[in-house]
Amino acid sequence: MPLLVDGRRVRLPRSAAELVRAHPLLEERARLLRGQSVQQVGPQGLLYVQQRELAVTSPKDGSVSILGSDDATTCHIVVLRHTGNGATCLTHCDGTDTKAEVPLIMSSIKSFSDHAQCGRLEVHLVGGFSDDRQLSQKLTHQLLSEFDKQDDDIHLVTLCVTAVNIKTAEIYRASFQDRGPEEQLRAARALAGGPMISIYDAKTEQLRIGPYSWTPFPHVDFWLQQDDKQILENLSTSPLAEPPHFVEHIRSTLMFLKKFPSPANILFPGNKALLYKKNEDGLWEKISPGS
């Protein structure tokens, strides 16, 4: 089944710009999204999705009402939603293995038992920019191509390159004060080369972290000795477009990887996952480890 825009089959072009020109509604939606003021999103009801993570839930969720992510320079934030049951998946893709990640996104939506009811699948692609190495352009094309190969009709609604409100399906520009829980641990897994994973169980309304494993980060002491310019130029895919906190974030993640070169039983006692659930104030609270 094809990827569709405004009910018409998409002929995949060489660039996103060509696709937008061929479908004026995409250009208008992107313009409206870019023109929005940035909303500050607090921690209540929020599930923040880091790089190489995905989360899926529905309007029935009593704990999470907003899925969000940001800091996508060459990365893309992908939102896939079923209009019938409202099941919504948000993921932060960096092009590591798009061919495997898109089927994972699809299966996460289909895991909701009432997927077959009336409605359609709508996808929103947000993020990336015209970088010198064309990493963003490559990722855009990979994502469009892989969605086009899926068995289901998928309607491309937004191509802009964010947060999604699960209850209203509103996509909007956002910034996040809270990126937890276990922000450093999750960032370390991604920097150490971990694959795309699902982090949220909508049935139990629990955030599940780990257990993860990684090998010692190569030359971690060397990188920690480098100045900000060296870290920015060598550990970023887009040195000219990173947010102000990028280097500080990488340094703290490297220090975490140095402190925990092998996380197994130290960070995950008994090799069990760390489980979190929203409390009455809408904040993540650690609960007993899972099996």
Side-chain angles (χ1 to χ4, degrees):
M1 293 290 182
L3 187 67
L4 304 168
V5 176
D6 305 321
R8 292 183 289 156
R9 172 73 190 261
V10 170
R11 297 184 65 179
L12 293 182
R14 285 172 294 182
S15 70
E18 287 183 30
L19 182 57
V20 168
R21 282 196 296 269
H23 299 276
L25 262 179
L26 288 178
E27 185 172 18
E28 176 63 13
R29 291 171 190 149
R31 186 187 65 78
L32 290 172
L33 183 59
R34 290 196 308 271
Q36 288 181 6
S37 57
V38 176
Q39 297 185 39
Q40 297 286 336
V41 176
Q44 285 82 6
L46 168 68
L47 172 49
Y48 183 85
V49 177
Q50 291 202 27
Q51 189 171 334
R52 297 191 194 173
E53 292 182 342
L54 74 79
V56 60
T57 189
S58 78
K60 295 178 181 178
D61 195 317
S63 298
V64 171
S65 56
I66 296 171
L67 297 175
S69 191
D70 60 2
D71 291 355
T73 52
T74 54
C75 296
H76 285 17
I77 295 161
V78 179
V79 176
L80 181 67
R81 180 176 182 271
H82 189 273
T83 61
N85 59 22
T88 304
C89 175
L90 184 145
T91 185
H92 190 131
C93 298
D94 61 7
T96 304
D97 191 359
T98 307
K99 197 164 190 170
E101 292 166 2
V102 169
L104 186 61
I105 294 167
M106 294 293 294
S107 64
S108 72
I109 288 292
K110 291 183 178 183
S111 66
F112 284 77
S113 57
D114 51 354
H115 163 75
Q117 72 182 68
C118 294
R120 69 182 197 177
L121 289 167
E122 295 185 343
V123 68
H124 308 261
L125 304 183
V126 183
F129 70 106
S130 297
D131 60 291
D132 291 340
R133 289 187 287 168
Q134 297 198 328
L135 297 175
S136 295
Q137 295 93 315
K138 182 180 177 182
L139 179 53
T140 301
H141 194 270
Q142 287 176 347
L143 285 165
L144 290 171
S145 297
E146 291 306 317
F147 276 113
D148 193 50
K149 293 175 185 175
Q150 302 307 304
D151 292 335
D152 301 85
D153 281 351
I154 301 171
H155 297 259
L156 179 62
V157 177
T158 305
L159 183 64
C160 180
V161 188
T162 247
V164 55
N165 187 307
I166 307 304
K167 312 298 182 185
T168 65
E170 178 190 5
I171 303 270
Y172 56 94
R173 295 180 64 196
S175 64
F176 308 94
Q177 298 171 323
D178 182 71
R179 291 177 168 85
E182 307 290 352
E183 179 183 358
Q184 282 192 319
L185 171 55
R186 293 159 64 190
R189 185 199 72 86
L191 190 60
M196 178 74 72
I197 55 167
S198 177
I199 59 169
Y200 185 66
D201 184 343
K203 293 176 183 174
T204 60
E205 299 184 6
Q206 292 179 358
L207 177 63
R208 183 185 182 96
I209 300 171
Y212 304 147
S213 63
W214 55 69
T215 55
F217 193 84
H219 314 298
V220 66
D221 288 321
F222 167 82
W223 288 115
L224 284 170
Q225 291 167 7
Q226 302 309 300
D227 60 23
D228 289 2
K229 184 172 182 286
Q230 288 297 317
I231 288 179
L232 185 61
E233 289 181 353
N234 291 280
L235 295 182
S236 167
T237 57
S238 51
L240 299 177
E242 294 294 356
H245 58 264
F246 174 81
V247 172
E248 180 186 353
H249 171 72
I250 291 294
R251 280 194 190 281
S252 66
T253 306
L254 287 169
M255 289 175 66
F256 188 92
L257 285 166
K258 180 179 179 178
K259 184 177 181 181
F260 301 105
S262 180
N265 287 322
I266 302 173
L267 298 174
F268 303 100
N271 203 35
K272 293 182 178 180
L274 307 180
L275 297 180
Y276 284 81
K277 196 172 178 68
K278 290 284 188 180
N279 61 22
E280 292 180 358
D281 296 322
L283 305 175
W284 291 113
E285 191 173 87
K286 198 171 185 178
I287 59 175
S288 300
S291 56

